[in-house]
Amino acid sequence: MDVQLSDLLTVGLLVVLEGLLSADNALVVAVMILGLPRQQQKLALRYGLLGAFAFRIIATVLAVYLIRLAWVKLLGGLYLVYLTYQHFFRSGTAEERSKPRLAKPWLGLSALWGTILKVELVNVAFSVDSILVAVAMSSKTWVVMTGGLLGIVAMRIVISQLLVIVRRYPTLVDGAFVIIALVGAKLLIEYASAMNWIHYEMPKWLSLGLIAITFLIAYVQARRKGPVEDTDEDDAAAALLENERT
């Protein structure tokens, strides 16, 4: 295998890019996982990471065909907008909205495996751009693969930190769903552009800037209200475990 210094530098750059491009992905995944009991959150992250590895390997090999997957962005964008609608218009008062939504069974799967499947689908929708950028930076499969896989590990660490922050400041949930709506809108804009319905693509700096500003505003408001006591298992998680046992 031909390994050059430029290849190692490219791998490092891909890890950094993966972290930047996956900031919104990490936030969406963190909010989805919060509805699970604490011990199941780690399991969901572990299986989500394995699924992301598997998809990245397959997608890198088949990267030449990814450009045809515009419909993935359409479905992903519609799903994220739907999540935001449910949160703000179907979740009751502001106090009720600040509590993570209880994970429920989905498509015949348990709450845990239903959440893991949703995480994998979100990972697919968000990974297309990252893979295409990686392939454009290097023609060597091992470089693209190594940078992408290390980037996924870095994203897993980011998600863990976000879970801690949101547990401590639950009012951040509203801000998180505003960001989810922004991401959904971005995916829909990208789909419309790919279909040549419009001639506009949201710059990455703009989408990241909006995400950062929204999170900062939500965090400042959450700090004003103060943190909540962090417990090993909240009422929602206890209720979920009880339901699964019966």
Side-chain angles (χ1 to χ4, degrees):
M1 182 172 63
D2 181 24
V3 180
Q4 300 178 1
L5 178 60
S6 60
D7 294 332
L8 300 179
L9 293 175
T10 301
V11 169
L13 181 58
L14 287 175
V15 173
V16 174
L17 286 175
E18 182 73 28
L20 293 174
L21 292 172
S22 300
D24 43 14
N25 187 3
L27 184 59
V28 174
V29 171
V31 171
M32 294 176 71
I33 290 177
L34 273 175
L36 290 169
R38 187 71 59 86
Q39 62 268 37
Q40 290 191 356
Q41 291 175 6
K42 294 180 179 180
L43 187 61
L45 278 176
R46 186 177 304 120
Y47 281 107
L49 183 65
L50 291 175
F53 278 147
F55 174 75
R56 179 55 62 97
I57 292 171
I58 295 172
T60 300
V61 175
L62 302 176
V64 67
Y65 301 106
L66 283 178
I67 196 65
R68 303 176 185 176
L69 298 183
W71 59 269
V72 173
K73 294 185 178 182
L74 172 62
L75 296 181
L78 291 175
Y79 179 65
L80 295 182
V81 171
Y82 171 73
L83 286 180
T84 305
Y85 167 77
Q86 274 209 321
H87 175 73
F88 284 105
F89 299 101
R90 303 290 294 275
S91 300
T93 64
E95 182 178 355
E96 292 171 336
R97 290 201 311 267
S98 67
K99 300 177 182 178
R101 294 181 63 84
L102 179 63
K104 297 179 181 179
W106 191 55
L107 297 179
L109 301 172
S110 67
L112 171 62
W113 288 104
T115 300
I116 291 174
L117 178 58
K118 292 177 182 178
V119 167
E120 299 300 353
L121 293 176
V122 167
N123 282 336
V124 170
F126 279 91
S127 294
V128 175
D129 283 345
S130 299
I131 297 171
L132 290 177
V133 169
V135 171
M137 290 184 60
S138 176
S139 60
K140 296 182 178 180
T141 301
W142 77 266
V143 173
V144 175
M145 198 89 69
T146 303
L149 296 181
L150 290 176
I152 292 173
V153 173
M155 188 184 74
R156 199 281 192 195
I157 297 173
V158 172
I159 294 174
S160 299
Q161 295 303 313
L162 285 172
L163 285 171
V164 173
I165 294 173
V166 177
R167 284 195 204 107
R168 187 166 175 78
Y169 299 98
T171 52
L172 281 173
V173 172
D174 273 355
F177 274 95
V178 172
I179 292 174
I180 289 173
L182 291 173
V183 175
K186 174 179 175 292
L187 290 176
L188 293 177
I189 290 173
E190 290 178 355
Y191 175 77
S193 177
M195 295 295 102
N196 292 319
W197 296 343
I198 61 174
H199 300 286
Y200 173 77
E201 291 187 6
M202 182 179 294
K204 198 65 187 180
W205 66 266
L206 178 58
S207 61
L208 289 176
L210 290 173
I211 290 171
I213 291 172
T214 302
F215 186 82
L216 179 61
I217 293 174
Y219 185 71
V220 170
Q221 291 179 337
R223 287 296 299 267
R224 287 178 178 175
K225 292 186 177 181
V228 299
E229 182 179 355
D230 190 19
T231 58
D232 290 335
E233 182 175 86
D234 54 45
D235 293 338
L240 178 59
L241 282 176
E242 185 63 27
N243 288 337
E244 291 186 342
R245 293 192 187 105
T246 58

